[in-house]
């Protein structure tokens, strides 16, 4: 499931970002992809409406892979 979250702050640029959740019955917390940003909720929702399931799954795998890797010193 893809949705949009809003980051509070004075700057409107990139205020909205992508949030992915596993489908109903799936385990795990939501994944916040703060590197995927939009300036408005309308633009974000239009983009999500046009993204394929394959693209959303690819982004979820990528985000989970980044979260699993240890940070480089």
């Amino acid at each position: 499931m893809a949705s949009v979250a809003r980051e509070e702050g004075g700057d409107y640029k990139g205020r909205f970002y992508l949030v992915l959740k596993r489908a109903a019955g799936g385990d795990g917390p939501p994944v916040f992809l703060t590197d995927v940003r939009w300036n408005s909720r309308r633009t974000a929702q239009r983009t999500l409406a046009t993204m394929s399931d394959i693209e959303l799954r690819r982004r979820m795998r990528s985000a989970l892979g980044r979260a699993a890797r240890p940070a480089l010193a």
Side-chain angles (χ1 to χ4, degrees), residues 5-45:
R6 180 180 175 167
E7 184 175 88
E8 296 301 324
D11 190 13
Y12 73 92
K13 290 192 175 217
R15 180 178 287 182
F16 298 91
Y17 58 92
L18 178 60
V19 178
L20 297 174
K21 301 174 191 168
R22 295 190 188 272
D27 294 332
V31 176
F32 301 98
L33 281 81
T34 57
D35 57 327
V36 180
R37 293 188 170 268
W38 299 277
N39 293 341
S40 72
R41 183 174 299 279
R42 181 177 170 207
T43 302
Q45 290 172 335

Side-chain angles (χ1 to χ4, degrees), residues 69-73:
R69 283 184 283 186
L72 298 176

